[in-house]
Amino acid sequence: MNNRLQTLPYASAANGALVSQEQRNRVLRNTYWLLALSLLPTVLGAWIGVSTGITRSLTGGLGLIVFFAGAYGFIFAIEKTKNSAAGVPVLLAFTFFMGLMLSRLLGFVLGLKGGSDLVMTAMGGTAGVFFVMATLSSVIKRDLSGMGKWLFAGAVVVLVGGVINVFVGSTIGMLAISTLCLGVFSLYMLYDLKRILDGGETNYISATLALYLDIFNVFQSLLVILGITSSD
């Protein structure tokens, strides 16, 4: 009986389109493959950034301008090309850029005592969060679309608080913001995975972008929390 129900079309809450179980599985499978591939340019960008110190001077307002201009420019380009052959290369270029932007934080953490262990712990923690949220998304039957507005509000609070703290320079403020960011984007991970499983997202490039940003923010938050709590 369950197998028969899975072959019935699903009414997507996002656009009202009928999405079959087969199509949902295909989107999820392609998303996972592209997500795994997108991590390679991130690692390469981070390695280049740490090795060359190219992002070391991007502090304060200059760092914010470069980050926001680059990130939102790439996100706009990805949304424009997601239905064409250029979508995947643009997404991979974006993940390389994000790796570069992460390198300054990575360089700081690696400079701490046991820094490499902290980075591995953050990686393991991020993988653990993803595994838990992927499992929950597959067993939770209720519609989670109502979470979207609350998560968006939380992300705005994180963004505004982070920008303010760049100029204030409060360690306690950074710790609080990172903790909130960890919670918000862990739940965003569940929300985005559930949207794919429920047929609310049918473009695997957009789905990959959403999950990549969730993973990036969870990993970055864990790096900050571990870096602050393990240093003087």
Side-chain angles (χ1 to χ4, degrees), residues 1-231:
M1 181 66 175
N2 288 337
N3 290 336
R4 285 183 179 274
L5 288 175
Q6 288 179 352
T7 61
L8 294 175
Y10 176 85
S12 167
N15 52 23
L18 296 180
V19 182
S20 68
Q21 181 67 42
E22 181 182 0
Q23 184 177 355
R24 282 180 273 166
N25 289 340
R26 183 168 61 251
V27 172
L28 184 63
R29 183 172 59 251
N30 290 341
T31 298
Y32 279 160
W33 276 109
L34 185 54
L35 185 62
L37 180 62
S38 70
L39 298 179
L40 298 179
T42 304
V43 173
L44 177 62
W47 178 77
I48 290 175
V50 171
S51 300
T52 64
I54 192 173
T55 61
R56 202 168 296 154
S57 61
L58 297 179
T59 60
L62 177 61
L64 284 177
I65 292 172
V66 172
F67 176 77
F68 283 127
Y72 285 104
F74 270 116
I75 290 173
F76 177 80
I78 291 168
E79 287 302 313
K80 286 294 184 181
T81 59
K82 65 182 181 182
N83 295 313
S84 69
V88 171
V90 174
L91 175 66
L92 296 181
F94 168 67
T95 63
F96 175 80
F97 170 79
M98 293 298 280
L100 279 177
M101 293 296 100
L102 185 64
S103 64
R104 191 164 173 267
L105 174 59
L106 273 173
F108 166 75
V109 174
L110 288 171
L112 299 174
K113 183 179 180 180
S116 57
D117 291 336
L118 295 177
V119 173
M120 294 302 296
T121 300
M123 291 175 61
T126 304
V129 170
F130 186 85
F131 176 78
V132 170
M133 295 307 167
T135 302
L136 287 175
S137 68
S138 65
V139 299
I140 294 176
K141 303 304 179 183
R142 61 174 296 181
D143 179 23
L144 300 182
S145 59
M147 290 174 54
K149 60 183 179 181
W150 299 107
L151 292 175
F152 179 76
V156 170
V157 172
V158 169
L159 178 62
V160 173
V163 170
I164 293 174
N165 199 63
V166 166
F167 300 99
V168 174
S170 168
T171 302
I172 298 299
M174 181 178 291
L175 184 60
I177 292 166
S178 297
T179 303
L180 177 60
C181 184
L182 176 61
V184 168
F185 283 96
S186 295
L187 290 175
Y188 246 129
M189 205 179 291
L190 172 62
Y191 173 80
D192 289 329
L193 284 165
K194 193 71 167 64
R195 284 189 70 234
I196 299 170
L197 289 171
D198 288 351
E201 178 58 77
T202 58
N203 185 285
Y204 72 95
I205 293 179
S206 290
T208 302
L209 174 62
L211 286 175
Y212 176 85
L213 290 173
D214 299 336
I215 291 172
F216 183 91
N217 280 290
V218 167
F219 177 66
Q220 182 176 248
S221 299
L222 285 173
L223 271 183
V224 172
I225 292 170
L226 291 171
I228 290 176
T229 55
S230 64
S231 61

